[in-house]
């Protein structure tokens, strides 16, 4: 498990957790990575300050792809929440 704290976005914190799994392929057993993203209120990640979280069902070939995807999805969630709150 690898934790990544991303830059704050719209005054909310973004935290991404990447877990390593194995997958059977034609090349044998290969690592695959899954991602869970968290949006939180406080300046640092605390479980009690989480506003939203989601475990994505996709698998990635490298952890960097998983982190980038999780960060983009968290940004999209925050953007949609801001649009809905303005109505």
């Amino acid at each position: 498990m690898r934790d990544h704290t991303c830059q704050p976005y719209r005054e909310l914190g973004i935290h991404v957790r990447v877990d390593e799994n194995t997958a059977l392929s034609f090349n044998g057993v290969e690592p695959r990575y899954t991602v869970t993203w968290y949006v939180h209120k406080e300046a640092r990640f605390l479980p009690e300050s989480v506003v939203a979280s989601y475990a994505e069902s996709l698998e990635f070939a490298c952890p960097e792809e998983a982190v980038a995807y999780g960060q983009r999805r968290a940004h999209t969630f925050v953007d949609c929440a801001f649009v809905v709150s303005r109505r």
Side-chain angles (χ1 to χ4, degrees):
M1 175 175 36
R2 300 175 188 176
D3 290 328
H4 300 273
T5 301
C6 304
Q7 291 291 324
Y9 186 71
R10 295 191 184 234
E11 300 179 12
L12 293 169
I14 305 293
H15 186 82
V16 176
R17 177 170 289 156
V18 176
D19 292 309
E20 184 176 345
N21 302 307
T22 57
L24 189 57
S25 73
F26 291 114
N27 297 327
V29 177
E30 296 181 340
R32 291 292 183 257
Y33 302 91
T34 58
V35 64
T36 304
W37 54 262
Y38 303 85
V39 176
H40 57 92
K41 291 182 185 177
E42 304 298 324
R44 62 188 183 101
F45 177 70
L46 298 170
E48 57 269 11
S49 68
V50 171
V51 175
S53 67
Y54 189 75
E56 297 287 346
S57 60
L58 301 172
E59 291 185 341
F60 299 90
C62 71
E64 294 80 17
E65 289 176 359
V67 170
Y69 182 82
Q71 186 175 2
R72 286 192 311 269
R73 296 292 293 165
H75 286 189
T76 301
F77 176 85
V78 171
D79 289 341
C80 290
F82 271 86
V83 168
V84 169
S85 69
R86 289 185 178 182
R87 289 184 180 180

